[in-house]
């Protein structure tokens, strides 16, 4: 008789015991079967994968993963943390940018990070820290530096290479970062603070915004050799000047590349207001002239530019500054002079104002709102005698009126309705809009001042083509650029306004619209400071930049850099301010000694040589001069790079090296789908930008602080660890689920057996 038969037959002693035994045996069998299946599943899940590749189950902390060619397997991307220290002394700033490259995976990697710096930065220092050793970077011609780096990478040596793509866009490549290893790279640069009236400002860009590349064929040329009998060969395309762009993460996937930042400010005069328009900061005053500024949050995502502004106390700001540096057998000078605005203002001429507004996809969100609000504000400030027109562009173009029309009520109403209805979408085909704005139907008319106000984020790659258009077809127009958004292309905006003999204004948020547009319209409505001539003691041995001195607007200082055998004698500046003659003299031997003036001079000279090459088209002659200046002053340029190489190979022979670009954040306020929509960017470029896949969007914890290495103190960033021991928790959860299912099944069987036994006894 079976246990069940005896139970249902009502046997005295075995009934309770047989029920417990059945329950125990059934439970044990089910658990063993489930555990066996679970173990097989776990073993299959953790099967060995190729070196350097991981599965999602392998990840035990926050990691950024790239898809590999093998399904379900990923390459852990190197992570990045950045610390910025900026020391401001008078109008001169020296910044130290520490980039900590972290390899969270178990393979060897090469990390490549594309990052922005101020467009006037003179990058002169590269240091690579490995343990307690510091390796100084050397300046080389670009191709030579690249070759040195590639050879070191192939030999398994740690190496770093800093290259310039644009004056405000750089790349840092770091080779042979070992499993779980961190390499610290420090970059230093010099720049001058900007002055506008009584306000001084400094910007540190944090993210390279995605740039639109116009859809044009790369031209090729046919070469006809002498005696070719009419047959020629098609030459390969000229050097590709497109901007290399990093993959961009979708905002909902989180942020990468955390940044800490601190500024030590010594203004040289009593400080008044100190503020940061786009970040919350803590300000500690140190006496009347100095302050320390730090981010309120220890770490912020690298998704918008940092800006610092400061003003003098109740008294007016100093009108002149003179600094000098002796390098070798020569003196270098930096002169900053703010002319008075003049008590008597001549009657301003009526203007022909051409407003150009960018409504491409990159302007979507707050940027579009800021641009529209700025333009509506400008339309309200036009005077009855003015004329105007409005041009909008994305990858199409609309010119509102056939020609500039009088600024009266009906025309303004049509324009305002047009502006309010604009939406951001499409590509950024800027060149046709610029050509339309510079088309002047009354080029000989001197009764009006023709001013082009260009509102855009400048998110394009064909800057050289646009500069050429400005210098070739500016005519009597003056170009005023208004940079919109959290991360504008300040290099393009600044150089375009300089080439257009206008000014650059940045509007980073809606709170700045009225203030910044008011300042711009005050400049537009006031006569320029014209015909400025700088006369040096010995013009034959003095080399100064810019040359000639450009026209200036109200509140803007004359900024000159000069090199001469000895700083002595008197500098004389002459010009007209508000129609009145103006002259000032300055003794050159009174300059305050300050390091870095020579490098700032060299940077200004390189800028001038680049501008001359764009205008003259003689790149070969100017390139030789640029290379010579950059090598002499140890500066990164379009033609020179900094490279640092460790002498000892660290990557074992046979170990594979994986190379990946490090993703960047989308600038704050940008709409990812508008920027990377199917109709926005060519497929090849879109694929390049989307190559980064975020599996876990979080920061890895920073390794322990390193000791001081040769006077260099690598920063230790305490990054939040947002992940858990995922595999252990997943396995525990599955096991708990299986046990729960087994207990539920046994509970049902026991109730079923009990009910059956009760029914039989009842019969």
């Amino acid at each position: 008789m079976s246990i069940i038969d005896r139970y249902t037959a009502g046997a005295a002693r075995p009934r309770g015991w047989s029920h417990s035994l059945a329950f125990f045996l059934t439970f044990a069998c089910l658990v063993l079967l489930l555990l066996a299946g679970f173990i097989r599943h776990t073993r299959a899940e953790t099967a060995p994968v190729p070196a350097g590749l991981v599965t999602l189950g392998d990840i035990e902390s926050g990691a950024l993963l790239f898809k590999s060619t093998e399904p379900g397997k990923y390459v852990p991307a190197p992570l990045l943390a950045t610390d910025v220290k900026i020391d401001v002394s008078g109008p001169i700033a020296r910044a130290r940018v520490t980039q900590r490259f972290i390899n969270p995976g178990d393979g060897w990697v090469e990390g490549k990070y594309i990052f922005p710096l101020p467009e006037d930065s003179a990058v002169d220092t590269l240091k690579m820290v490995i343990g307690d050793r510091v390796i100084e970077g050397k300046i080389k011609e670009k191709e030579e530096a690249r070759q040195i780096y590639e050879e070191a990478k192939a030999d398994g040596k740690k190496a770093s290479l800093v290259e310039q793509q644009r004056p405000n866009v750089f790349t840092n490549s770091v080779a042979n970062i070992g499993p779980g290893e961190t390499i610290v790279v420090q970059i230093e640069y010099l720049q001058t603070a900007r002055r506008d009236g009584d306000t001084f400002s400094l910007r540190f860009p944090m993210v390279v915004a995605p740039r639109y590349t116009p859809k044009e064929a790369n031209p090729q040329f046919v070469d006809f050799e002498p005696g070719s009998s009419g047959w020629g060969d098609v030459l390969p395309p000229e050097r590709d000047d497109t901007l290399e762009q990093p993959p961009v993460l979708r905002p909902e996937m989180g942020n990468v590349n955390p940044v800490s930042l601190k500024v030590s400010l010594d203004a040289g005069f009593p400080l008044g207001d100190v503020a940061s328009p786009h970040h919350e900061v803590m300000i500690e005053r140190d006496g009347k002239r100095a302050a320390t500024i730090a981010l309120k949050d220890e770490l912020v995502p690298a998704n918008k530019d940092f800006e610092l502004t400061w003003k003098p106390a109740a008294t007016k700001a100093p009108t002149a500054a003179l600094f000098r540096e002796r390098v070798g057998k020569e003196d270098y000078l930096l002169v900053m002079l703010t002319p008075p605005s003049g008590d008597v203002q001549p009657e301003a001429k009526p203007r022909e104002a051409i407003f150009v507004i960018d409504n491409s996809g990159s302007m979507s969100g707050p940027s579009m709102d800021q641009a529209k609000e700025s333009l509506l504000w400008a339309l309200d400030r036009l005077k009855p005698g003015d004329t105007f027109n409005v041009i909008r562009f994305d990858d199409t173009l609309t010119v509102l009126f056939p020609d500039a029309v009088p600024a009266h009520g009906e025309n303004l109403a049509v324009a305002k309705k047009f502006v309010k209805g604009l939406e951001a979408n499409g590509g950024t085909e800027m060149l046709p809009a610029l050509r339309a704005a510079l088309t002047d139907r009354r080029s000989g008319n001197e009764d009006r001042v023709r001013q082009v106000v260009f509102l855009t984020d400048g998110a394009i790659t064909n800057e050289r083509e646009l500069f050429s258009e400005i210098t070739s077809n500016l005519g009597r127009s003056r170009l005023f650029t208004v940079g919109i958004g959290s991360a504008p292309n300040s290099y393009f905006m600044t150089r375009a306004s300089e080439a257009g003999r206008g000014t650059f204004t940045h509007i980073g948020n809606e709170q700045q619209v009225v203030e910044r547009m008011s300042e711009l319209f005050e400049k537009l409505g006031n006569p320029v400071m014209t015909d400025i001539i700088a006369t040096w003691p010995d013009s034959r041995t003095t080399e100064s930049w810019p040359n000639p001195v450009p026209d200036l607007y109200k509140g803007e200082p004359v900024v000159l850099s000069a090199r001469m055998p000895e700083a002595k004698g008197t500098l004389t500046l002459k010009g007209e301010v508000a129609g009145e003659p103006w002259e000032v003299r300055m003794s050159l031997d009174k300059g305050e000694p300050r390091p870095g003036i020579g490098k700032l001079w060299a940077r200004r000279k390189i800028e001038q040589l680049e501008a001359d090459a764009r205008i003259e088209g003689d790149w070969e002659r100017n390139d030789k001069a640029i290379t010579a200046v950059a090598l002499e002053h140890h500066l990164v340029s379009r033609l020179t790079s900094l490279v640092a190489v460790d002498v000892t190979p660290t990557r074992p022979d046979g170990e594979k090296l994986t190379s990946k670009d490090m993703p960047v954040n989308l600038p704050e306020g940008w709409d990812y789908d508008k920027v990377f929509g199917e109709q926005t960017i060519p497929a090849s470029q879109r694929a390049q930008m989307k190559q980064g896949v975020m599996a876990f969007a979080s920061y890895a914890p920073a390794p322990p602080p390193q000791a001081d290495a040769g006077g260099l103190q690598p920063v230790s960033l305490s990054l939040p660890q947002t992940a858990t021991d995922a595999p252990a928790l997943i396995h525990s959860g599955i096991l708990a689920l299986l046990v729960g299912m087994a207990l539920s099944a046994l509970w049902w069987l026991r109730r079923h057996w009990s009910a059956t036994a009760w029914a039989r006894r009842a019969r």
Side-chain angles (χ1 to χ4, degrees):
M1 181 181 292
S2 67
I3 294 177
I4 295 178
D5 288 338
R6 283 188 292 172
Y7 179 83
T8 56
R13 175 181 171 278
R15 186 166 54 195
W17 174 86
S18 63
H19 176 269
S20 301
L21 179 61
F23 181 85
F24 172 76
L25 291 176
T26 306
F27 173 78
C29 291
L30 284 172
V31 169
L32 289 174
L33 287 172
L34 291 172
L35 283 176
F38 174 69
I39 291 170
R40 283 196 302 270
H41 174 73
T42 302
R43 286 177 178 173
E45 224 181 28
T46 58
V49 298
L53 298 182
V54 297
T55 65
L56 294 182
D58 297 326
I59 303 302
E60 299 184 4
S61 63
L64 182 63
L65 305 181
F66 287 103
K67 285 183 178 179
S68 73
T69 56
E70 299 189 35
K73 301 188 177 114
Y74 300 85
V75 178
L79 301 176
L80 181 78
T82 301
D83 177 74
V84 182
K85 295 284 195 304
I86 304 177
D87 294 319
V88 182
S89 179
I92 302 170
R94 172 164 281 280
R96 185 186 71 195
V97 181
T98 303
Q99 296 174 340
R100 183 184 293 272
F101 291 81
I102 306 162
N103 177 13
D106 60 356
W108 289 79
V109 298
E110 175 194 26
K112 186 174 185 180
Y113 181 52
I114 299 178
F115 62 99
L117 289 177
E119 66 278 1
D120 60 344
S121 57
V123 181
D124 64 343
T125 301
L126 167 66
K127 297 176 182 177
M128 184 170 62
V129 184
I130 304 171
D132 59 355
R133 293 182 297 117
V134 178
I135 302 168
E136 295 275 354
K138 297 180 180 179
I139 194 74
K140 300 287 184 181
E141 291 191 34
K142 194 166 193 173
E143 293 303 320
E144 182 184 358
R146 166 60 62 177
Q147 183 178 353
I148 292 171
Y149 174 81
E150 292 294 340
E151 290 176 356
K153 181 173 75 172
D155 292 341
K157 300 176 181 178
K158 289 179 169 53
S160 178
L161 176 69
V162 174
E163 298 177 299
Q164 174 187 305
Q165 291 199 47
R166 295 288 191 276
N168 65 333
V169 179
F170 295 78
T171 61
N172 189 4
S173 302
V174 181
N176 293 308
I177 312 174
E181 194 173 30
T182 295
I183 293 183
V184 176
V185 176
Q186 286 193 345
I187 301 164
E188 295 185 20
Y189 67 86
L190 283 157
Q191 70 170 134
T192 54
R194 183 181 179 185
R195 180 173 181 177
D196 194 344
D198 285 346
T199 301
F200 294 80
S201 63
L202 196 72
R203 288 179 64 237
F204 178 77
M206 291 192 182
V207 62
V208 176
R211 307 286 174 83
Y212 179 85
T213 300
K215 293 174 263 190
E216 291 187 2
N218 197 354
Q220 295 177 302
F221 299 93
V222 178
D223 181 32
F224 292 95
E225 294 287 344
S228 61
S229 302
W231 296 93
D233 295 323
V234 177
L235 299 177
E238 292 184 352
R239 178 177 60 86
D240 186 8
D241 193 43
T242 56
L243 181 69
E244 186 176 354
Q245 305 199 57
V248 180
L249 296 177
R250 296 188 69 97
E252 60 267 26
M253 290 181 172
N255 289 306
V256 292
N257 308 339
V259 178
S260 66
L261 184 145
K262 180 180 287 187
V263 180
S264 297
L265 173 62
D266 183 359
F269 51 76
L271 276 172
D273 293 336
V274 179
S276 175
H278 313 307
H279 290 82
E280 293 187 15
V281 295
M282 298 181 297
I283 302 172
E284 294 183 7
R285 301 276 181 159
D286 183 11
K288 293 182 179 181
R289 306 193 319 173
T292 300
I293 300 93
L295 295 170
K296 187 175 182 180
D297 296 328
E298 182 181 358
L299 297 172
V300 298
N303 63 355
K304 60 181 175 181
D305 292 355
F306 174 85
E307 183 180 15
L308 183 70
T309 63
W310 63 96
K311 295 182 179 181
T315 57
K316 295 188 70 174
T319 57
L322 177 62
F323 302 95
R324 66 175 179 171
E325 180 186 26
R326 185 75 177 175
V327 180
K329 297 181 179 180
E330 293 179 305
D331 276 339
Y332 293 86
L333 297 171
L334 176 66
V335 179
M336 301 182 73
L337 187 66
T338 304
S341 59
D343 297 328
V344 179
Q345 300 289 345
E347 183 178 355
K349 293 180 181 180
R351 69 169 64 95
E352 178 183 335
I354 309 300
F355 298 104
V356 185
I357 183 169
D358 178 354
N359 69 304
S360 62
S362 65
M363 294 284 289
S364 182
S367 294
M368 193 74 247
D369 296 336
Q370 293 161 26
K372 289 163 67 172
E373 186 178 346
S374 300
L375 181 45
L376 291 170
W377 191 95
L379 291 171
D380 281 335
R381 268 59 185 180
L382 291 175
K383 298 177 181 178
D386 297 338
T387 60
F388 78 101
N389 205 346
V390 178
I391 300 172
R392 68 104 218 141
F393 73 94
D394 43 34
D395 48 12
T396 61
L397 174 69
T398 301
V399 181
L400 183 58
F401 301 108
D403 198 359
V405 297
H408 59 57
E410 183 178 352
N411 291 333
L412 289 172
V414 171
K416 290 178 183 178
K417 182 178 179 180
F418 176 75
V419 172
K420 290 177 181 178
L422 292 177
E423 294 183 359
N425 210 347
T428 313
E429 295 287 349
M430 191 178 293
L431 184 58
L434 181 61
R435 284 175 177 161
L438 294 180
T439 300
D440 186 1
R441 300 176 185 272
R442 287 170 292 277
S443 57
N445 185 357
E446 298 296 333
D447 296 333
R448 291 183 183 276
V449 178
R450 193 171 196 274
Q451 299 168 335
V452 177
V453 181
F454 212 109
L455 299 100
T456 178
D457 56 13
I460 41 85
T461 61
N462 60 328
E463 291 102 330
R464 183 184 297 179
E465 198 173 13
L466 293 161
F467 293 145
S468 177
E469 180 68 25
I470 295 169
T471 55
S472 301
N473 299 314
L474 182 66
R476 68 183 178 114
S477 302
R478 295 296 179 263
L479 178 62
F480 298 83
T481 55
V482 181
I484 300 293
S486 60
N489 182 358
S490 56
Y491 160 62
F492 166 71
M493 311 292 277
T494 302
R495 297 292 174 265
S497 64
E498 289 178 354
R501 300 179 69 182
T503 61
F504 166 54
T505 301
H506 176 220
I507 297 176
N509 54 54
E510 291 188 21
Q511 289 70 38
Q512 294 181 317
V513 169
V514 173
E515 176 191 355
R516 299 288 169 89
M517 289 301 289
S518 297
E519 294 171 354
L520 174 60
F521 260 69
E522 188 176 3
K523 293 177 182 178
L524 295 176
N526 283 278
V528 295
M529 303 167 191
T530 59
D531 303 322
I532 301 174
I533 298 175
T535 304
W536 298 92
D538 188 350
S539 58
R540 296 173 302 173
T541 58
T542 301
E543 192 176 4
S544 66
W545 308 103
N547 186 19
V549 182
D551 292 344
L552 299 176
Y553 286 79
K554 182 179 178 180
E556 291 191 335
V558 181
V559 181
L560 300 175
S561 296
R563 177 172 70 174
M564 59 184 59
E566 187 176 358
K568 62 181 182 179
T570 302
L571 166 66
T572 302
L573 285 168
K574 293 182 179 181
E576 285 191 3
V577 177
E580 299 293 328
W582 166 77
E583 179 177 333
V584 68
R585 299 181 181 186
M586 185 179 295
S587 297
L588 298 180
D589 58 354
K590 304 295 184 183
E592 177 76 13
R594 196 67 55 89
I597 304 299
K599 293 182 185 293
L600 290 173
W601 173 87
R603 184 62 183 158
R604 294 297 298 271
K605 180 172 181 177
I606 290 172
E607 290 175 10
Q608 188 70 47
L609 290 169
E610 293 277 7
D612 291 344
R614 285 193 297 270
I615 296 170
E616 300 167 4
D618 191 347
W619 289 96
E620 183 178 355
R621 178 173 64 85
N622 286 281
D623 282 357
K624 289 180 180 178
I626 290 169
T627 302
V629 174
L631 291 175
E632 179 185 358
H633 294 271
H634 207 261
L635 294 180
V636 176
S637 70
R638 178 171 56 85
L639 301 168
T640 54
S641 305
L642 279 167
V643 61
V645 176
D646 192 9
V647 295
T648 306
T650 55
R651 177 165 55 89
D653 291 340
E655 286 285 348
K656 182 181 178 182
L657 181 68
T658 303
S659 299
K660 285 294 180 182
D661 287 346
M662 305 187 71
V664 300
N665 301 312
L666 193 70
E668 184 180 74
W670 284 39
D671 186 318
Y672 188 94
D673 292 325
K674 292 283 187 179
V675 176
F676 297 107
E678 293 299 322
Q679 304 302 319
T680 304
I681 290 181
S684 59
Q685 185 174 335
R686 189 166 58 248
Q688 178 190 18
M689 288 182 172
K690 289 186 175 180
Q691 63 177 297
V693 177
M694 175 65 80
F696 295 89
S698 57
Y699 302 138
Q706 292 173 297
D708 180 17
L712 182 65
Q713 296 180 354
V715 62
S716 176
L717 299 178
S718 300
L719 306 182
Q721 184 172 349
T722 58
T724 58
D725 189 0
L729 292 181
I730 291 173
H731 295 165
S732 300
I734 294 174
L735 180 59
L737 178 63
L738 294 176
V739 172
M741 291 172 62
L743 291 175
S744 297
L746 290 172
W747 176 81
W748 181 86
L749 287 173
R750 181 176 182 181
R751 290 200 60 181
H752 177 71
W753 292 339
S754 299
T756 302
W758 180 84
R760 289 180 178 177
R761 284 198 303 271
R763 288 198 300 267

